[in-house]
Amino acid sequence: MKLLLILPIILPLTTAAVGLLCWRSIRAQQVIGLLGAGGLLAAAGSLLHGVWQNGPMALQLGNWPAPFGITLAADLFSAIMVVLAALMGFTVALYSLATVDPRRVRYGYFCFYHFLLMGVCGVFLTGDLFNMYVWFEVMLMASFVLMALGGEKEQLEGAIKYVTLNLISSAVFLTGLGILYGMSGTLNMAHLATVLPQSEHPFMVTTVAMLFLVAFGIKSAVFPLFFWLPASYHTPPVAVSAIFAGLLTKVGVYSLMRVFTLLFMGDVAYTHTLILIIAGFTMVTGVLGAAAQGEFRRILSFHIISQVGYMIMGLGLFTPLALTGSVFYIMHHIVVKTNLFLVSGVARLLGGSYRLERLGGLSLSAPGLSLLFAVSAFSLAGIPPLSGFWAKLILIIASFKDASYLIAATALLVSLLTLFSMTKIWAAVFWGEPAVAADPQPLSGRRRAALYVPIILLALITVTIGLGTGPILTLAERTADQLIDPRAYIRAVLGSVQ
Amino acid sequence: MTSVILATATRYLMPMLLLFSAFLLFRGHNLPGGGFIGGLVAAATFILHSLVFGVGETRKILRVRPVKLMGLGLLIAMASGLVGVFTRAPFLTGKWYELVLGQGDKWHVGTPVFFDVGVYLVVIGATLIIILSLAEED
């Protein structure tokens, strides 16, 4: 049972290590990469099942008791995030077979890909703040390499911005950790949750909360700390963009939601209102930024920012319904956004470019792809009955119930502008005259399968979430309940110590 | 530019340095030392060799690619953690066993040593990858 908690970390580690042993053999790395991702997906699925059945679980690494050793803990939120990470890990690994060139694979693309997944799962599963910092670093190191691997000029430029901003964020995170440890003498999250409310310096707790807000804010690309994202996400190979877009900012959002539901609850009127304001600005700037872009992946990158706004809007409102909306939104967004990036890669293969003005007429030459794009794009914009509609609906109902009309209006307006952006891509890429492709590459059957199977799978999930909202909503509701009332989580971690 | 003195000294130094690195590795269990510093000393040994005889020669005496040392090290370190799991304890729990060697000798062996051996190999691999590639660049 407890093995389930560690499997999402040691499976990618094993995969990456075996990949290192098969260095230079492209075929072996591809097979191992895909098998490892499949294994991770299975492990993540059983973890979610276990947490759903038995409530939050905790594992004390090395058998050191809770506030002293490193704890791994999974409540429903962690388990959902691990499942999403594994799902994206698997689909994008499959997609990588067709899109990542042999040279990059030879230099360890799949190894770093799995180190990245290990870091991401580690952040989701850890119950200790310093350990979370370590997992962040594991994830960032791997992402730095993936970002720069291949060494194209544009890539390196993007990588420099990405690395610099993320290092600043790590430094701020570490500063916050230092102050927090000096103040409370513990970094175990469950223990902190019991210690912080009795702190003698509530204003210091709020100060630390702001440091964490900045650190995780940079990582999740919220206003006004988002500028590294659109400057870098369009530079690496599309599979890398897709996995980054799907997972990395959401790791920041996860951390924000974790610390601002479990730890920093002393001054909700101040901290969470600030988060709500940031959410509004994030939505608006992201979507306006997207409207000004003319490159497929840059438009999508700006939309990540605007969507992150929706996710932390639920956190800012901080009611059970709003948190349900946030969790639902994250589930919907990761699937849809990754899929849109995957579609952009296929459009690039068929049309020879990411620039909107150089693409066109794909609805004639690739009607299937157009349909798949439409599913994800309309879902992103929130057209019923797709997943994005329900996600936005829950959040907007929550904001009306909370009498936060301004944020509700912002959310509605932004979703209209999202539709505008998606229509722009649709009109430029799929309608119009077929553009003359620079090098229309004929696709072999297997390559075509590796390209389309992930996209179809993710589109089906989007539709399923949209049509079968009930079970997903129940899942999100129970997750939100656990976030609002973390007693079960704390009990799982601290056990009898409390 | 190879100096005879350096080349001769290196031949004598290398076994001693490697022994010293192993000493550091195993001493680290209870005293200052350990896989990281032992690995650095071992890597330094091969770097000294590459300075004297050239990177090509060093790769030849290494026999394995440094990157494979890293993979192997990671697997060993992880396997040492899994020993705990197979005895129904959490991952990374330290376990100690007594191996009877006969004639009244016993070997007191624990999983942390294997974790350290994993670290040792990863450090050698990583350091050599970096330095040997840089040395080849010129």
Side-chain angles (χ1 to χ4, degrees), chain A residues 305-327:
Chain A
I305 299 165
S306 121
Q307 309 279 307
V308 164
Y310 282 97
M311 293 168 213
I312 64 167
M313 165 183 162
L315 178 63
L317 290 168
F318 205 63
T319 61
L321 186 63
L323 282 176
T324 309
S326 280
V327 174

Side-chain angles (χ1 to χ4, degrees), chain A residues 345-362:
Chain A
V346 180
R348 155 81 210 284
L349 277 177
L350 297 174
S353 177
Y354 286 113
R355 309 268 341 153
L356 292 190
E357 72 266 15
R358 294 209 198 120
L359 290 162
L362 283 184

Side-chain angles (χ1 to χ4, degrees), chain A residues 3 6 14 20-21 23 60 62, chain B residues 67-68 78 85 90-93:
Chain A
L3 191 63
I6 192 75
T14 316
L20 288 175
L21 291 178
W23 196 252
Q60 316 296 346
Chain B
V67 71
K68 297 202 171 173
M78 196 188 66
V85 174
F91 185 63
L92 284 178
T93 306

Side-chain angles (χ1 to χ4, degrees), chain A residues 3 6 10 13-14 17-18 20-24 59-63 115, chain B residues 65 67-72 74-75 78 82 85 89-94:
Chain A
L3 191 63
I6 192 75
I10 54 180
L13 176 63
T14 316
V18 174
L20 288 175
L21 291 178
C22 308
W23 196 252
R24 305 275 153 155
L59 175 74
Q60 316 296 346
L61 285 184
N63 222 0
F115 280 129
Chain B
R65 283 177 179 283
V67 71
K68 297 202 171 173
L69 289 179
M70 273 173 72
L72 191 66
L74 283 173
L75 287 179
M78 196 188 66
L82 282 178
V85 174
F91 185 63
L92 284 178
T93 306

Side-chain angles (χ1 to χ4, degrees), chain A residues 94-362:
Chain A
L94 186 57
Y95 188 83
S96 303
L97 297 183
T99 53
V100 176
D101 52 305
R103 201 168 60 94
R104 285 192 171 90
V105 177
R106 200 178 299 128
Y107 280 96
Y109 169 81
F110 280 103
C111 295
F112 291 107
Y113 184 83
H114 280 276
F115 280 129
L116 180 82
L117 287 179
M118 174 173 83
V120 171
C121 290
V123 174
F124 293 153
L125 285 174
T126 185
D128 181 280
L129 274 180
F130 189 79
N131 195 232
M132 183 188 262
Y133 169 79
V134 174
W135 287 122
F136 259 115
E137 292 303 298
V138 170
M139 175 186 96
L140 287 175
M141 287 299 156
S143 70
F144 295 162
V145 178
L146 286 177
M147 181 69 93
L149 192 65
E152 288 161 24
K153 191 180 162 210
E154 203 187 28
Q155 248 187 310
L156 292 181
E157 193 196 324
I160 286 173
K161 294 170 188 160
Y162 177 80
V163 169
T164 316
L165 261 295
N166 275 294
L167 284 181
I168 293 175
S169 142
S170 295
V172 176
F173 185 9
L174 202 55
T175 314
L177 281 178
I179 299 176
L180 194 60
Y181 187 69
M183 214 163 48
S184 59
T186 179
L187 287 175
N188 183 299
M189 289 199 270
H191 195 214
L192 276 173
T194 60
V195 169
L196 282 185
Q198 288 127 39
S199 170
E200 293 159 21
H201 314 286
F203 66 97
M204 278 298 280
V205 178
T206 310
T207 310
V208 174
M210 288 304 106
L211 281 172
F212 278 80
L213 183 61
V214 172
F216 295 145
I218 292 178
K219 295 205 199 286
S220 50
V222 299
F223 178 86
L225 308 162
F226 59 82
F227 33 85
W228 57 272
L229 192 148
S232 58
Y233 268 27
H234 63 287
T235 56
V238 64
V240 177
S241 295
I243 194 85
F244 281 17
L247 294 180
L248 294 198
T249 47
K250 262 55 71 183
V251 174
V253 174
Y254 166 86
S255 315
L256 274 179
M257 288 186 61
R258 179 62 76 202
V259 297
F260 281 97
T261 55
L262 189 59
L263 307 184
F264 302 122
M265 302 297 300
D267 196 1
V268 174
Y270 174 68
T271 49
H272 289 63
T273 311
L274 184 64
I275 291 176
L276 192 59
I277 294 168
I278 291 174
F281 277 110
T282 308
M283 283 187 237
V284 174
T285 40
V287 86
L288 289 181
Q293 299 299 321
E295 206 248 33
F296 208 145
R297 284 197 285 175
R298 281 185 75 105
I299 297 180
L300 297 179
S301 299
F302 271 102
H303 275 294
I304 299 175
I305 299 165
S306 121
Q307 309 279 307
V308 164
Y310 282 97
M311 293 168 213
I312 64 167
M313 165 183 162
L315 178 63
L317 290 168
F318 205 63
T319 61
L321 186 63
L323 282 176
T324 309
S326 280
V327 174
F328 198 107
Y329 207 103
I330 292 175
M331 290 194 267
H332 136 77
H333 169 89
I334 291 182
V335 174
V336 165
K337 182 56 77 179
T338 309
N339 208 15
L340 284 172
F341 270 91
L342 298 184
V343 169
S344 81
V346 180
R348 155 81 210 284
L349 277 177
L350 297 174
S353 177
Y354 286 113
R355 309 268 341 153
L356 292 190
E357 72 266 15
R358 294 209 198 120
L359 290 162
L362 283 184

Side-chain angles (χ1 to χ4, degrees), chain A residues 45-85:
Chain A
S46 38
L47 174 69
L48 180 59
H49 180 73
V51 175
W52 176 260
Q53 298 281 332
N54 308 327
M57 292 198 272
L59 175 74
Q60 316 296 346
L61 285 184
N63 222 0
W64 299 101
F68 310 111
I70 293 172
T71 305
L72 293 185
D75 60 356
L76 273 177
F77 190 33
S78 303
I80 290 173
M81 297 305 286
V82 171
V83 168
L84 288 168

